[in-house]
């Protein structure tokens, strides 16, 4: 995953590189490093852990030069150590480079083309690129890079310094995002436009093995074969990347608190009928044979809810699919299939690959994305943006809620187009949807104190189970992921009726089992399942709507949320669960915004 940045400028570029790396830290924080060329000699400083550690290291060993590259790492090959931290050098010290992506054939290259190379500084796949450049270099970096690329399989965005070109950065990319841009005092590359300071609007997207050469005064492009070529800029509207925490201790809590507004801003245009789906209601009524929702992690969990909405309420077959499975499943999709790709970042490698496959096979491609101009958004037939604002905490909250809201609006529209609801029901649902942001706020206000209190008990537990049926099961999946990703407690979600088919054997005296029962049509059944675990000593926590509160009064801990329509319950069920995870993680002293081993944007498969 990793983030890379580089600048050929006028003054000392290190402070800017460091600041840019801070903005790229969402892509990984296992280690970080910067290299510069000073008087034609590469100098680098690297540190294990977050950018703050690199900053400290740079205080002790300052780097000052007007050309440099930087990297923040999410480890794929080799432990998060200083030796494995980028930038990496070629054995002769001529090349120094940073890389985002994975060189899939690194081991094969070491056995073949690079079989004579015995000196390896690191366990990374990246180092082979430095060795290949050295091998093919005869004075022309562009030619060496063209030859090197012929040997590389996988994905990469590369920023390269060469000691013989003291004022230049070379760059190339395949399947990993990389932009180049002219700024007031030089030229930059970065994995994300947001990492470059100032107000950029025109950038070059480096793609398909293109080679780029940047000096402070110009940016030149070359074909994969190393021939000079012209390239046009694209206009970007970078998302404002505010690092403000709104006065909260963590981004995650701030983002939980922003959910009402995120959902309101997402729904506003949709409730006003402002959909650009790339197809019309006639297709939804007559042409639509099947929907596949494809995504990863929490975004996939919104698909679990969408699957029920589209099948139960719109009577169209729908399956939620994990993108990393879909892309290799040889799926049967065609022009009657609507594939919906859901992603906060718009960059998730598996989701993007799945999208390309669906497109290739002729399916309609709609995406629900938060980051404007991201790869998934750009490659879709149509995009519905979630207007959640940039999300910084690794654990998603407001983007998840906004994605759900888009599915609600789509489901109401599809149901109306297919005639599975009448006008009166449509008006009722639309009215309830408009009320959802306020109900989310009420849910937050109600859940905050009890979730914080319950978290005192949860912090000491080893295992937690979340159970629910239908939409409550979809909410349980999300609740469980939230808990495990930030508190490191082993948590599992089960369809409530499935528990007794094996998992109930794990329930012991005091094991917390959270029953989500917001779906009125299923609450009796879920209550029975709650009783079953209680009979085996579980600590029972129930999440339900006001209407069902009496039925769950026997739970050890009862969290009641405002009632809403059956279609929209997921949005309210997750609120106390997000808060519970947050406070549990806080009580356990976890690094809430940057949990171990994770990154915000998963750009490798
Ligand atoms: O950027 P995306 O929405 O495509 O990311 C998908 C998942 O990586 C993401 O939802 C992940 O599961 C979150 N950390 C969950 O909180």
């Amino acid at each position: 995953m990793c983030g890379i940045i580089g600048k050929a400028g006028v003054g000392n570029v290190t402070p800017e590189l460091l600041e840019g790396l801070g903005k790229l830290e969402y892509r990984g924080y296992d280690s970080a490093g910067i290299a510069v060329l000073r008087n034609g000699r590469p100098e680098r400083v690297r540190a294990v852990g977050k950018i703050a550690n690199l900053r400290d290291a740079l205080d002790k060993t300052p780097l000052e030069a007007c050309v440099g590259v930087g990297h923040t790492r999410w480890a794929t090959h080799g432990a998060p150590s200083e030796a494995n931290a980028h930038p990496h050098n070629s054995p002769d010290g001529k090349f120094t480079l940073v890389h985002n992506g994975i060189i899939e054939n690194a081991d094969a290259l070491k056995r073949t083309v690079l079989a004579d190379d015995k000196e390896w500084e690191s366990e990374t796949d990246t180092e082979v690129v430095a060795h290949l450049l050295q091998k093919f270099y005869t004075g022309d970096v562009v030619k060496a890079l063209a030859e090197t690329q012929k040997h590389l399989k996988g994905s990469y965005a590369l920023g390269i310094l060469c000691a013989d070109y003291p004022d230049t950065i070379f760059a190339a990319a395949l399947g990993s995002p990389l932009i180049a841009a002219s700024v007031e005092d030089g030229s930059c590359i970065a994995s994300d436009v947001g990492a470059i300071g100032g107000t950029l609007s025109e950038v070059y997207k480096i793609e398909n093995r293109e080679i780029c050469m940047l000096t402070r005064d110009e940016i030149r492009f070359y074909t994969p074969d190393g021939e000079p070529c012209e390239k046009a800029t694209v206009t970007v509207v970078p998302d404002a990347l505010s690092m403000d925490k709104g006065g909260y201790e963590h981004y995650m809590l701030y983002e939980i608190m922003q959910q009402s507004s995120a959902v309101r801003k997402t729904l506003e245009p949709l409730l006003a009928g402002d959909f650009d789906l790339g197809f019309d209601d006639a297709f939804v009524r007559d042409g639509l044979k099947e929907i596949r929702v494809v995504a990863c992690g929490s975004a996939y969990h919104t698909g679990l809810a969408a699957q029920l909405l589209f099948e139960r309420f719109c009577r169209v077959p729908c399956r939620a699919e994990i993108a990393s499975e879909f892309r290799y499943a040889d799926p049967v999709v065609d022009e009657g299939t609507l594939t919906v790709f859901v992603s906060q970042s718009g960059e998730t490698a598996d989701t993007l690959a799945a999208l390309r496959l669906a497109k290739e096979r002729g399916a309609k491609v709609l995406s629900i994305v938060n980051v404007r101009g991201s790869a998934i958004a750009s490659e879709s037939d149509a995009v519905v943006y979630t207007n959640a604002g940039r999300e910084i905490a690794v654990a998603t909250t407001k983007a998840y809620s906004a994605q759900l809201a888009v599915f609600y609006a789509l489901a109401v529209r599809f149901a109306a187009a297919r005639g599975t609801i009448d006008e009166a029901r449509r008006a009722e649902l639309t009215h309830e949807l408009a009320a959802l942001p306020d109900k989310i706020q009420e849910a937050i206000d109600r859940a905050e104190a009890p979730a914080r209190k319950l978290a005192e008990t949860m912090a000491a537990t080893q295992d937690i189970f979340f159970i629910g049926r239908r939409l409550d099961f979809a909410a349980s999946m999300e609740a469980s992921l939230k808990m495990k990703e930030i508190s490191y407690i082993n948590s599992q979600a089960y369809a409530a009726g499935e528990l007794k088919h094996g998992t109930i054997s794990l329930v012991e005296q005091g094991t917390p089992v959270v029953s989500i029962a917001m779906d009125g049509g299923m609450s009796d059944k879920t209550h029975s399942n709650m009783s079953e675990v209680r009979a085996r000593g579980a600590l029972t926590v129930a999440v339900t709507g006001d209407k069902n509160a009496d039925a769950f009064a026997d739970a050890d801990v009862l969290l009641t949320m405002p009632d809403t329509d059956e279609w929209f319950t997921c949005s309210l069920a997750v609120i106390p669960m997000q808060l519970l995870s947050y406070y549990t993680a806080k009580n356990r002293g976890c690094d809430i915004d940057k949990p171990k081993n994770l990154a915000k944007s998963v750009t490798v498969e």
Side-chain angles (χ1 to χ4, degrees), residues 285 313-315 413-422:
R285 191 179 57 240
F313 304 126
C314 309
R315 307 313 296 162
R413 184 173 173 143
F414 284 16
R418 292 174 72 84
T420 56
I421 55 171
D422 59 18

Side-chain angles (χ1 to χ4, degrees), residues 296-299 342-348 351 376 394-396 403 478 481-482 485 598-602:
C296 301
S298 295
V342 191
S343 178
Q344 187 285 131
S345 62
E347 273 197 34
T348 303
T351 310
I376 291 174
V394 164
T396 181
Q403 289 159 358
E478 176 58 9
L481 179 61
K482 271 313 65 98
E485 82 179 311
L598 294 175
K600 182 71 181 157
S601 197
V602 184

